[in-house]
Amino acid sequence: MADYTHKISAAGRINIIGEHIDYCGGKVFPAALSLKNTVYARRNGTDKINIAWTDLPDKVTLEIDKLDSYRNEKYAKYQAGCAYLWQKAGHKVVGCDLLYDCTVPFGSGLSSSAAIEVSTLAALAVMAEEEMDKKEISILAQSAEREYAGVNCGIMDQYASANGKKDYAILLDCKKIEHELVPFSLGEYALVIINCNKPHNLVESKYNERRAETEEALARLQTVLPVSCLAEVSPKDFAKYGHLLSGKVYDRAKHVVEECDRVNQAVDAMKKGDIVRLGALLNASHKSLRELYEVTGKELDALAAAAQKHPACVGSRMTGAGFGGCTVSIVKKEAVEDFKEQVSKEYLKEIGYPCRVYEAEIADGIIVETL
Ligand code: GLA
């Protein structure tokens, strides 16, 4: 990449467990992946940011004093949103050329947009020769997703993309926005990521609808409990006061309360090397996302079911927002090839088009290299 001075990347992520609870103040358990977005960057001495992509013919120029006027850009809206929020937070934006190269598959539920946002903010910080505060970058990236992509998302994806560490999972407390790194060790098991390949439409509206339902549940429970978020409602309190909620709102809240509990158990299981128990928790999470939270759909259900059926698999669940995207499975290392083959065959038979297996490792979040 001739003439670029820096190479800055941020990771896609997998969520091991803790789904749809980040925006309820819960603890989640994601990890950064070796699938990532890379930005090649150099200062250009102008008052413009020039954006290009390795796999698109488009080129977009953003005027630094008009960063708020690019909300309708097809591809560059994420970059514009990040630059605008970076500027609004009081940071310097300098003229630069940014070339994007993304290996996180789009629409896969592995957070390509978070990888793009976080790497953009990191690149802007490097170009301006500013200190990089990964927590601030995560929060600004989340705001860019909310304001420019219209998804009222939680903090998990952007935080994992920025703060991930090779060979560690991140136990992220979404209320405090603080994390603990947990060695990612599965012993004789491996993690397998498979995309169900369902084009995921309408995710934004369904996602925002789930958020509204959890907010309704919280408001109702706050009339009897001194809680600031749904994650603070213990299973015991829910058993006592859950009757105040009805229908879907009850189901959504039940998922949140139980999923929060599963995260604690899963972290404990991983720390103790009890991978069979970890797997069982993944299965229970998928069931809850299917029956109570209703974010799976027949494709993800077929994929998880095919995986769970395989004798070498101890657990499998959808990961990310759902309605399409990927599953994550824990499989005996020696049987991974057979697992991939059997699950792919079964999925094709059931759904009529193929799924796709990804090769990825647990990797660092932001990486900055000088060229
Ligand atoms: C998307 C959002 C995250 C999180 C997950 C579901 O990935 O961006 O904030 O809510 O869905 O766990």
Side-chain angles (χ1 to χ4, degrees), residues 4 40-44 48-50 95-99 127:
Y4 286 94
Y40 294 90
R42 64 183 169 216
R43 289 174 80 138
N44 62 19
K48 298 179 188 7
I49 301 176
N50 298 316
C96 54
D97 302 332
L98 305 176
L99 172 66
M127 291 294 98

Side-chain angles (χ1 to χ4, degrees), residues 13 15 18-23 28 109 111 145 151 153-158 207 320-322:
R13 65 97 191 90
N15 188 19
E19 215 64 85
H20 283 281
I21 57 171
D22 61 345
Y23 50 82
V28 294
S111 295
E145 179 83 24
V151 183
C153 66
I155 188 72
M156 173 170 75
D157 304 348
Q158 291 78 11
Y207 185 92

Side-chain angles (χ1 to χ4, degrees), residues 38-228:
T38 300
V39 186
Y40 294 90
R42 64 183 169 216
R43 289 174 80 138
N44 62 19
T46 71
D47 52 2
K48 298 179 188 7
I49 301 176
N50 298 316
I51 298 172
W53 291 267
T54 52
D55 58 349
L56 284 177
D58 307 51
K59 288 194 181 353
V60 176
T61 294
L62 309 173
E63 310 260 353
I64 291 175
D65 56 3
K66 291 191 197 132
L67 287 172
D68 195 20
S69 56
Y70 300 102
R71 286 168 193 263
N72 297 324
E73 277 292 330
K74 190 170 173 200
Y75 302 114
K77 68 174 177 231
Y78 295 100
Q79 287 84 347
C82 289
Y84 176 62
L85 288 160
W86 179 251
Q87 190 180 51
K88 217 169 108 186
H91 297 288
K92 197 163 115 200
V93 178
V94 299
C96 54
D97 302 332
L98 305 176
L99 172 66
Y100 284 77
D101 184 41
C102 192
T103 58
V104 190
F106 297 121
S108 61
L110 301 178
S111 295
S112 54
S113 61
I116 291 169
E117 290 149 1
V118 169
S119 55
T120 299
L121 286 157
L124 293 173
V126 171
M127 291 294 98
E129 294 178 343
E130 287 207 22
E131 280 290 315
M132 202 184 301
D133 176 343
K134 291 184 183 171
K135 181 168 165 178
E136 187 196 12
I137 285 186
S138 317
I139 295 170
L140 290 175
Q142 177 197 23
S143 306
E145 179 83 24
R146 287 183 172 179
E147 287 188 28
Y148 280 71
V151 183
N152 196 8
C153 66
I155 188 72
M156 173 170 75
D157 304 348
Q158 291 78 11
Y159 196 94
S161 175
N163 295 278
K165 191 165 155 61
K166 187 172 160 38
D167 300 331
Y168 286 87
I170 306 161
L171 177 59
L172 167 63
D173 183 326
C174 300
K175 198 175 103 197
K176 297 190 186 140
I177 319 195
E178 276 171 18
H179 73 280
E180 175 196 330
L181 290 172
V182 178
F184 183 84
S185 52
L186 294 180
E188 53 184 325
Y189 293 87
L191 205 68
V192 181
I193 304 168
I194 311 183
N195 192 341
C196 75
N197 274 338
K198 180 196 174 195
H200 67 166
N201 300 325
L202 293 175
V203 182
E204 292 87 353
S205 63
K206 296 225 174 87
Y207 185 92
N208 293 344
E209 185 184 291
R210 294 296 181 279
R211 280 206 68 151
E213 287 162 340
T214 56
E215 275 154 26
E216 192 183 327
L218 174 64
R220 194 82 191 89
L221 291 171
Q222 278 174 329
T223 62
V224 290
L225 288 168
V227 290
S228 68

Side-chain angles (χ1 to χ4, degrees), residues 302-320:
L303 198 53
Q308 289 171 7
K309 208 163 101 182
H310 192 281
C313 175
V314 292
S316 180
R317 61 180 285 274
M318 57 151 271
T319 185

